[in-house]
Amino acid sequence: MKSLWAALLPHYPTSSASPAEAAHMDGLALWALQFTPRVVCVPAAQLTNGEPHFGDALVMELSTSERLFGGQVKLAQRIRRESRQLGITTIAWAPTSLGAVALARCGLRHGFGNQPWDAQLDTLPLHAIDAVARHAAILAQLGCNNLGAVRALPRSGVVRRFDTQLLAALDTTYGLRADGYAWITPPEHFDARLELALRVEHADALLHGAQRLLLQLCGWLVAKRAGIRSFTLRWCHDAMRSKHAGDGGELTLHTGSATRDIQHLSRLLQAHLAHVQLLAPVGELSLHAHQPEPLQETSASLLLDKAAEDESLAQVLERISARLGTHLVQRPVLCADHRPEWQVQWQPASQALPATTAAPPPLPQPSLLLAEPLRLLQNGNSQLLYQGQLQLLAGPQRLEGGWWHRSPSFLASNNEEKDKQTTQIAHTAVRDYWVANSPHAGLLWVFHTRLSPDNSAWFLHGIFA
């Protein structure tokens, strides 16, 4: 199988590299790990002979991964699109790692044309390979102006006059010698930072920089075969801020299930940033991932399934909750409780479902449960009335529970808010349920309160559809 190497070359030179640019290269490596585990940073030598200086290059071997991403063309399109978001504009493709770096330094796109690989490399200038560029002055005196001329020199004479690294680099570039790299491994924890090129004054404008960090996060998650349920985006205010603004702020996002879908995470972050107001201009961002979880891989279908490309219901609910507020988007959860009004509780739709859910009641339950039980009227003969006289058909179904359930209630004394006193309300239920028939309302669910001061208290609680 023919090797396929991609080289990504940052725009900054090594001689002016800063810690921020080193962090950028580390983040670029994390992003690249989602495509292949064979990722390495090729350091550039600092030259002092006046030749152009180049920054470190990130190279990755993709021959065994291209089928996983739909072929070489689709893989190249995705790498080019996402790397552009990460600030990379120079990408070259070649059958060797140093050859890809040499093409990128010369502004060439790929080395898979109709011309043989050796012939393409022979025309490149000396500064394309660091080991050759170190001796560019002497080689120029020998009449060598390109790599082909250097390769034509006698090998024994090159070894005696120059160091052995020159021939080794040439052989590796031309594919005559195997690459020997120590591949980059993903760290155990993800913490990435980004220094913004411009100071940002509006929270929604932070999304552009945050997406670069999310690309790195998703690449790290793919390499770890994991997903996350939450992450934190932090921002640092500019040094020229007001003393009341503080050092910065942060935003923690939660998802209902473990995911590494960058589109969903970006939409979710965008919805949350819409509610944030910055107290001062922001100059730096950082992203921290919480507790990655193993993510089970799913096989793709051989058939075209457009529905699989759409957002899932859980992702849609999370995005709507972030936009409207969690208190406005809720869903019912079945709880283990004998009391009908407490068997269903409402929780935010973006919150994960409990690990174990209660089983439905064994006895038939009404289709509609009233929010508050309705007390029934009785005639002189103690006959229950609701749109006619009720006929008890089945029962009783005895229910007794909730004696442990207490909730606070606030009572104001002397009509002053500050003098509120707290009391406890008991939610004990002691009832006998019956299925009753109404001539006009149909089947009803009624109960009689036992052990209450009023023994004749009957209530309508549900309606059978």
Side-chain angles (χ1 to χ4, degrees):
M1 179 182 294
K2 195 172 184 179
S3 297
L4 175 63
W5 289 88
L8 288 75
L9 191 65
H11 64 277
Y12 55 83
T14 305
S15 57
S16 61
S18 64
E21 291 163 346
H24 174 246
M25 182 60 70
D26 293 339
L28 191 65
L30 292 180
W31 162 79
L33 285 172
Q34 66 183 303
F35 302 108
T36 174
R38 305 184 69 183
V39 178
V40 66
C41 180
V42 178
Q46 297 190 22
L47 308 179
T48 58
N49 56 3
E51 294 292 340
H53 293 255
F54 298 97
D56 298 346
L58 186 80
V59 296
M60 45 186 171
E61 207 286 315
L62 300 161
S63 60
T64 58
S65 306
E66 55 181 285
R67 290 183 59 189
L68 300 176
F69 296 91
Q72 190 174 127
V73 175
K74 290 186 176 180
L75 175 60
Q77 291 175 349
R78 177 174 173 181
I79 291 177
R80 186 163 55 250
R81 181 180 65 253
E82 294 187 4
S83 63
R84 191 178 296 115
Q85 299 180 40
L86 293 170
I88 298 296
T89 57
T90 304
I91 305 178
W93 305 81
T96 64
S97 60
L98 293 185
V101 174
L103 292 179
R105 291 178 174 179
C106 297
L108 301 177
R109 184 174 178 181
H110 63 83
F112 294 98
N114 297 327
Q115 192 177 12
W117 174 236
D118 292 354
Q120 295 184 58
L121 288 178
D122 287 344
T123 60
L124 298 183
L126 301 181
H127 66 257
I129 304 177
D130 287 338
V132 179
R134 293 193 188 97
H135 310 285
I138 299 177
L139 291 171
Q141 295 176 5
L142 297 176
C144 299
N145 297 320
N146 53 42
L147 297 183
V150 177
R151 196 164 66 101
L153 295 175
R155 294 178 64 90
S156 57
V158 171
V159 172
R160 288 194 303 268
R161 186 154 188 176
F162 306 101
D163 53 34
T164 58
Q165 295 180 1
L166 191 150
L167 280 182
L170 280 176
D171 292 343
T172 304
T173 304
Y174 280 82
L176 303 177
R177 181 174 178 171
D179 300 293
Y181 294 125
W183 307 115
I184 294 176
T185 57
E188 291 298 322
H189 305 283
F190 182 86
D191 282 290
R193 57 179 293 271
L194 174 66
E195 184 176 347
L196 302 178
L198 299 175
R199 297 302 178 255
V200 176
E201 298 182 357
H202 301 283
D204 53 355
L206 295 178
L207 183 64
H208 177 72
Q211 283 181 335
R212 295 179 59 172
L213 297 177
L214 287 176
L215 283 172
Q216 301 174 20
L217 171 62
C218 292
W220 176 77
L221 289 174
V222 172
K224 300 288 289 185
R225 295 179 176 86
I228 55 170
R229 291 181 182 269
S230 64
F231 66 91
T232 299
L233 176 69
R234 298 186 178 95
W235 54 87
C236 295
H237 291 153
D238 187 70
M240 303 300 294
R241 63 182 180 271
S242 170
K243 62 179 181 180
H244 304 291
D247 295 333
E250 65 178 37
L251 181 64
T252 300
L253 278 70
H254 301 274
T255 62
S257 58
T259 182
R260 59 170 179 252
D261 185 355
I262 185 171
Q263 294 184 356
H264 174 58
L265 295 178
S266 297
R267 285 191 289 259
L268 193 61
L269 180 59
Q270 182 180 17
H272 279 275
L273 286 176
H275 302 286
V276 175
Q277 184 175 4
L278 299 180
L279 301 179
V282 174
E284 182 179 315
L285 294 177
S286 63
L287 191 69
H288 172 71
H290 303 163
Q291 301 280 329
E293 302 178 11
L295 196 63
Q296 184 176 3
E297 302 291 345
T298 56
S299 299
S301 173
L302 295 176
L303 304 177
L304 295 178
D305 187 6
K306 296 297 293 182
E309 300 176 1
D310 299 334
E311 285 185 278
S312 65
L313 176 61
Q315 293 177 344
V316 172
L317 291 177
E318 288 176 2
R319 188 158 52 90
I320 296 177
S321 300
R323 181 174 301 174
L324 302 180
T326 56
H327 63 287
L328 294 179
V329 185
Q330 299 187 345
R331 61 181 169 189
V333 178
L334 193 63
C335 301
D337 201 306
H338 295 293
R339 299 165 298 172
E341 63 269 28
W342 294 99
Q343 288 177 354
V344 176
Q345 299 295 322
W346 292 85
Q347 72 173 31
S350 59
Q351 184 177 339
L353 290 173
T356 57
T357 57
L363 299 176
Q365 300 290 310
S367 304
L368 174 63
L369 194 69
L370 302 183
E372 292 290 340
L374 177 65
R375 182 158 183 167
L376 297 174
L377 299 176
Q378 302 182 43
N379 58 19
N381 299 325
S382 298
Q383 179 67 41
L384 300 178
L385 302 175
Y386 184 79
Q387 299 184 20
Q389 293 186 357
L390 298 185
Q391 179 184 4
L392 301 181
L393 302 180
Q397 177 188 348
R398 181 152 293 180
L399 183 152
E400 184 171 350
W403 54 266
W404 61 89
H405 190 175
R406 298 288 188 274
S407 62
S409 175
F410 297 95
L411 298 177
S413 62
N414 299 327
N415 295 326
E416 293 185 5
E417 191 73 16
K418 63 180 180 179
D419 293 333
K420 281 186 176 180
Q421 298 178 354
T422 304
T423 62
Q424 296 290 328
I425 297 179
H427 298 280
T428 306
V430 183
R431 309 165 183 166
D432 286 339
Y433 278 90
W434 296 76
V435 177
N437 182 47
S438 169
H440 301 285
L443 293 179
L444 307 176
W445 208 39
V446 301
F447 68 84
H448 173 243
T449 56
R450 298 188 304 109
L451 306 180
S452 64
D454 188 356
N455 293 328
S456 61
W458 285 82
F459 295 85
L460 170 64
H461 204 182
I463 300 175
F464 290 90

